[in-house]
Amino acid sequence: MKTTTLNIMGMHCASCVVRNEGSLQKLPGVKSASVSLAMHSARIEYDEALTNEKALQDVIIKNGYQVLSEETAEAQKVAIQNELLSARKRAIFAIFSALPVAYLGMFSVKLPWVFFGNNASIWIELLIGSFVILVLGREFHVGMWKQLRQGSADMNTLISMGVLSALFFSLYSMTIGGHVYFETGAIITALILLGRFFEATSRGQASAAIEKLVELGAKTAHLVSGNEVTDIPIEMVVVGNMLLVKPGEKIPVDGTVEKGTSSVDESMLTGESMPVTKNAGDMVYGATINLNSILHIEAARVGADTVLAQIVNMVTEAQMNKAPIQKLADKISGIFVPIVLGIAVVTFLGWYMATGDISASILPAVAVLVIACPCALGLATPTAIMVGTGLGAKRGVLIKNGEALQLGSNIGVVVFDKTGTLTEGKPKVTDVFPVDEKLSRNDILRFTASLETNSEHPLAMALVNAAKEENITLSEVLQFESITGKGIRGRIGEQEVVVGNARLMREQGVSLEATEVMLGELEQAAKTVILLSLDGVMAGIIAIADTLKKDAHEAVVQLQKRGIQAVMLTGDNKRTADAVAKEAGIERVFAEVLPGEKAMKVKELQQHGVRVAFVGDGINDAPALAQADLGVAIGTGTDIAIEAGNIVLVKGSPMKVVEALVLSAVTFRTIKQNLFWAFFYNIAALPLAALGFLNPMIAGGAMAFSSVSVVMNSLRIKRALNNIGK
């Protein structure tokens, strides 16, 4: 199966979307087709053995639309800009042309000249009104003709029939001396053209997220070759190139720091404002900003493999995929236009039978045609999804599809995997207690870290890192010896140093009497205790634990405020699990859970009738992420976990889980609001138009601006994210 994206120009409503999707899905070999009005594009999955891209393009062209292939993205950008400029010109010209027609017609202005039985003012209305309707409004009539050739109808059909009815009826009225409605057709045309311009402008604001993401990337890189540094386009960088990044510059590609130490602003990637210190061996990412020192990096991922490119791709996919609620709206829109045409015919016949007056019959029918254009229905869902996913990407919350937004809007339980999700996922020194009053905290760290530099034990790195953070100079160790399962020993200067557990200390004849209470308290807190003795005398105690992430407790509090229960799941023993859960503020804990049992625990919770989100980062979390109603993968975790998640958090911050759920809930609520007002507008307005309570010009203005209101409502999503934690 191959997936391609076609950029489509000329779509204006939900029925355009439905028609193109339906036509594509009828082609042999097409597995799925998703058309987005807001993105001007279609994403199609098809079997190359049964069809090809040209056949896909031909179907859309036959429907009356223009197609630009995926490879002509720049051409699409230019085409959209040209379309916006053209829409602006037509709208302004139409408004200013329609104003004199409106003035002459509405105020029944009579000029001192009469030609062929009609006042000169009527002839002026005819000339200018016809120009507005037939020339400036040409796109409506061309669109209607294309649809008629296909035996179908869309928004253009409704508009064209409405304004042409007003025009030709007015021509007929001129021959019999009746009332003319040139101003009605001209003003409706002008208002709808103005509405389309506002619509295109608003869609551009909503879809700017991807363009801004793409623009974040660097355009050139400094290639280091021997002693020479050469500037090359970013497209020429290959894996293995050595690159130089100056202070204040964007890092060009993902890579590993080979030389240098600097602070890097990763806010575009993680949403966190605090810079991150990068040393030799650390990973850096394209489009992040090197702040204060020169870095030499080796390119590791370039082009489409960089994290930025993957984010752009993920956001694009999310904006193309439809939430289930959108599919329902599209289905309704697909049958809406034929129904409206039927209502317009019934309205005309009803009024004519009641009054016998064609003039009194045609205006309500025109109002029905104009008021019912389903623009807002077509924009209700995609604009909200575009804004939501775009804002999420800026804050390090990557939403893979529209369905994830809908699923995340009604979560009742969030299950956190402990290690690497709630905790840092690596041991860290939490407490240092000198037992010998002559020794300081730094002395204890110096002795233990000096010995541990020679050890391969997992806890050794925690002790060495703690000494580095305090800028402690380590001492030379002689006669080093590792005692398996117990600890290590050696000589520093004239002193015999032993570092290990309580069992080793007892074997060495070291008294633990003064430390037993503290040992019990630390072990009860699920911390690993390291003891230090000097020349056979207890000197200090160090506690090591996998520490809770700094915002884990706040994240749990925020979830509880929103009525969402937090649950912790871990393979650790119950004592360790309870200690971490207590610190995080979590009451319900599943401890000693085997990797294969995680998905089963999620399923158990689901059987109580609640929607469950699972947050994890490891390979063994993938089944649980897939089983959950909403899988939230930590972006610092494994590729398999990220692939299994519906939402990916670029940085492993628990508060990002809250942001993801709030964003999902607000976006889905916005979709429902948009759809409600779009449907309510049509349902309420159609009877009023049919009964003659709505003037066609008012109907045209209301229809045009209803689409803009839907888009503007979607842009309000940003406020909700800014209020998290308040």
Side-chain angles (χ1 to χ4, degrees):
M1 286 288 176
K2 181 181 178 181
T3 301
T4 189
T5 301
L6 301 179
N7 299 310
I8 306 173
M9 305 302 295
M11 295 192 297
H12 294 288
C13 68
S15 56
C16 301
V17 171
V18 174
R19 180 164 305 101
N20 283 320
E21 279 185 358
S23 300
L24 288 167
Q25 287 167 351
K26 287 177 184 177
L27 274 180
V30 173
K31 182 181 177 182
S32 65
S34 178
V35 178
S36 170
L37 173 64
M39 293 285 289
H40 299 281
S41 59
R43 189 168 58 84
I44 308 121
E45 187 178 0
Y46 65 96
D47 186 343
E48 289 183 276
L50 298 175
T51 190
N52 54 51
E53 191 161 321
K54 185 179 184 304
L56 302 176
Q57 293 182 17
D58 288 344
V59 166
I60 295 169
I61 293 168
K62 190 177 179 182
N63 282 344
Y65 305 95
Q66 289 179 283
V67 177
L68 296 171
S69 67
E70 190 175 17
E71 288 73 21
T72 56
E74 190 60 34
Q76 184 210 19
K77 185 177 177 182
V78 172
I80 291 173
Q81 290 174 342
N82 289 339
E83 182 185 46
L84 183 61
L85 184 62
S86 177
R88 180 173 177 269
K89 287 180 178 177
R90 285 198 307 272
I92 292 173
F93 201 14
I95 289 293
F96 281 103
S97 298
L99 286 175
V101 181
Y103 174 75
L104 293 173
M106 290 181 177
F107 296 100
S108 301
V109 176
K110 299 297 181 184
L111 297 176
W113 307 284
V114 175
F115 301 100
F116 303 106
N118 287 287
N119 191 271
S121 65
I122 293 179
W123 288 103
I124 294 173
E125 287 183 51
L126 168 62
L127 291 173
I128 301 177
S130 298
F131 172 75
V132 173
I133 294 169
L134 298 176
V135 179
L136 298 180
R138 178 177 178 273
E139 63 183 85
F140 307 133
H141 317 308
V142 171
M144 180 182 71
W145 174 244
K146 288 179 178 178
Q147 296 309 316
L148 286 176
R149 290 172 61 187
Q150 298 295 317
S152 59
D154 67 356
M155 171 182 167
N156 288 320
T157 307
L158 301 181
I159 298 170
S160 181
M161 289 183 66
V163 296
L164 289 178
S165 297
L167 174 63
F168 291 123
F169 177 74
S170 297
L171 286 171
Y172 166 74
S173 293
M174 285 180 68
T175 64
I176 61 172
H179 191 74
V180 295
Y181 297 96
F182 294 117
E183 79 281 4
T184 301
I187 292 176
I188 289 173
T189 301
L191 286 173
I192 294 175
L193 287 172
L194 183 63
R196 283 198 174 177
F197 166 64
F198 286 151
E199 209 175 276
T201 304
S202 300
R203 282 206 306 266
Q205 291 177 26
S207 62
I210 291 177
E211 191 171 324
K212 286 180 180 177
L213 285 171
V214 172
E215 289 174 355
L216 285 173
K219 303 298 183 286
T220 60
H222 306 306
L223 177 66
V224 179
S225 181
N227 294 324
E228 293 185 5
V229 178
T230 310
D231 287 353
I232 61 172
I234 195 70
E235 294 81 13
M236 292 179 64
V237 177
V238 297
V239 174
N241 279 165
M242 190 63 64
L243 307 174
L244 181 146
V245 187
K246 298 176 183 178
E249 290 185 337
K250 291 179 180 178
I251 292 170
V253 296
D254 296 359
T256 307
V257 177
E258 291 296 306
K259 187 168 67 175
T261 298
S262 183
S263 296
V264 175
D265 179 358
E266 295 187 336
S267 57
M268 58 70 55
L269 188 68
T270 64
E272 300 293 331
S273 58
M274 290 297 293
V276 181
T277 301
K278 299 290 182 177
N279 300 300
D282 290 339
M283 279 294 296
V284 290
Y285 304 96
T288 59
I289 300 172
N290 179 25
L291 294 178
N292 48 27
S293 299
I294 289 176
L295 288 176
H296 288 78
I297 69 169
E298 181 181 346
R301 292 192 293 258
V302 301
D305 295 327
T306 64
V307 170
L308 176 64
Q310 291 171 22
I311 289 173
V312 171
N313 184 58
M314 198 176 290
V315 175
T316 304
E317 289 286 315
Q319 296 187 350
M320 284 300 302
N321 279 298
K322 297 186 178 185
I325 194 170
Q326 183 182 351
K327 294 174 184 177
L328 174 63
D330 286 349
K331 188 175 181 180
I332 293 171
S333 298
I335 61 173
F336 193 69
V337 172
I339 290 173
V340 170
L341 289 173
I343 292 173
V345 171
V346 170
T347 299
F348 175 80
L349 293 175
W351 276 89
Y352 186 72
M353 290 172 64
T355 64
D357 185 346
I358 293 180
S359 175
S361 307
I362 201 166
L363 283 180
V366 170
V368 166
L369 292 171
V370 172
I371 199 74
C373 294
C375 311
L377 286 176
L379 294 169
T381 302
T383 49
I385 290 176
M386 288 168 67
V387 173
T389 53
L391 286 172
K394 287 182 182 178
R395 300 175 72 108
V397 178
L398 306 181
I399 299 162
K400 286 189 175 181
N401 49 55
E403 187 174 6
L405 283 170
Q406 187 162 339
L407 291 171
S409 65
N410 192 25
I411 293 296
V413 175
V414 175
V415 179
F416 289 95
D417 177 59
K418 179 182 79 70
T419 306
T421 303
L422 284 174
T423 65
E424 295 290 351
K426 53 187 177 183
K428 187 175 181 180
V429 172
T430 58
D431 306 278
V432 179
F433 301 108
V435 176
D436 186 337
E437 294 179 357
K438 297 177 183 178
L439 299 175
S440 67
R441 181 179 186 277
N442 282 8
D443 290 330
I444 303 299
L445 283 173
R446 179 173 62 84
F447 281 115
T448 53
S450 295
L451 256 69
E452 293 291 4
T453 53
N454 300 287
S455 172
E456 295 180 356
H457 194 279
L459 298 181
M461 187 57 70
L463 289 161
V464 173
N465 286 339
K468 283 183 179 179
E469 289 173 6
E470 301 291 339
N471 294 317
I472 296 171
T473 303
L474 302 184
S475 303
E476 183 183 3
V477 177
L478 302 174
Q479 300 175 13
F480 176 82
E481 181 186 355
S482 176
I483 306 167
T484 305
K486 299 175 185 177
I488 52 179
R489 65 185 171 195
R491 295 194 69 83
I492 295 178
E494 297 298 320
Q495 291 179 297
E496 182 184 22
V497 183
V498 178
V499 177
N501 57 26
R503 182 180 175 185
L504 177 60
M505 294 300 161
R506 291 190 184 99
E507 289 179 359
Q508 297 293 314
V510 178
S511 174
L512 302 180
E513 186 177 349
T515 62
E516 286 181 352
V517 174
M518 187 174 292
L519 284 174
E521 290 176 351
L522 291 172
E523 288 176 350
Q524 190 63 36
K527 296 180 179 180
T528 300
V529 180
I530 303 294
L531 303 176
L532 167 70
S533 71
L534 300 175
D535 294 329
V537 178
M538 179 60 62
I541 300 172
I542 296 178
I544 297 176
D546 182 6
T547 55
L548 196 71
K549 289 181 178 178
K550 61 182 180 181
D551 59 353
H553 184 269
E554 178 62 19
V556 172
V557 170
Q558 291 298 325
L559 289 173
Q560 291 170 344
K561 279 184 179 179
R562 289 164 173 80
I564 300 172
Q565 182 187 12
V567 174
M568 192 181 81
L569 184 149
T570 180
D572 281 350
N573 62 69
K574 192 172 189 311
R575 187 177 68 180
T576 301
D578 287 343
V580 173
K582 183 178 179 182
E583 189 180 355
I586 295 175
E587 296 180 0
R588 191 170 185 183
V589 180
F590 294 123
E592 299 175 12
V593 178
L594 296 174
E597 296 175 345
K598 290 184 177 182
M600 292 172 57
K601 291 296 182 184
V602 171
K603 195 171 183 179
E604 284 177 22
L605 291 169
Q606 290 171 323
Q607 287 171 350
H608 289 88
V610 293
R611 283 190 177 180
V612 178
F614 183 86
V615 188
D617 70 333
I619 290 174
N620 58 19
D621 292 330
L625 286 165
Q627 172 64 43
D629 295 287
L630 182 72
V632 181
I634 302 297
T636 51
T638 65
D639 290 341
I640 294 174
I642 292 170
E643 186 65 30
N646 305 102
I647 294 176
V648 177
L649 309 180
V650 176
K651 189 173 182 181
S653 164
M655 271 302 292
K656 293 295 177 184
V657 177
V658 181
E659 286 191 23
L661 295 180
V662 170
L663 182 61
S664 297
V666 172
T667 303
F668 188 61
R669 183 170 72 238
T670 302
I671 290 172
K672 290 194 290 185
Q673 289 171 349
N674 288 347
L675 288 173
F676 170 79
W677 287 112
F679 280 118
F680 176 81
Y681 167 82
N682 283 296
I683 292 169
L686 273 175
L688 293 175
L691 293 172
F693 294 115
L694 275 182
N695 183 288
M697 287 181 286
I698 296 174
M703 182 281 296
F705 288 102
S706 66
S707 300
V708 180
S709 66
V710 160
V711 177
M712 297 309 293
N713 187 46
S714 299
L715 294 173
R716 292 172 56 245
I717 294 172
K718 185 176 181 180
R719 292 184 189 174
L721 285 184
N722 293 335
N723 291 329
I724 293 176
K726 294 182 179 179

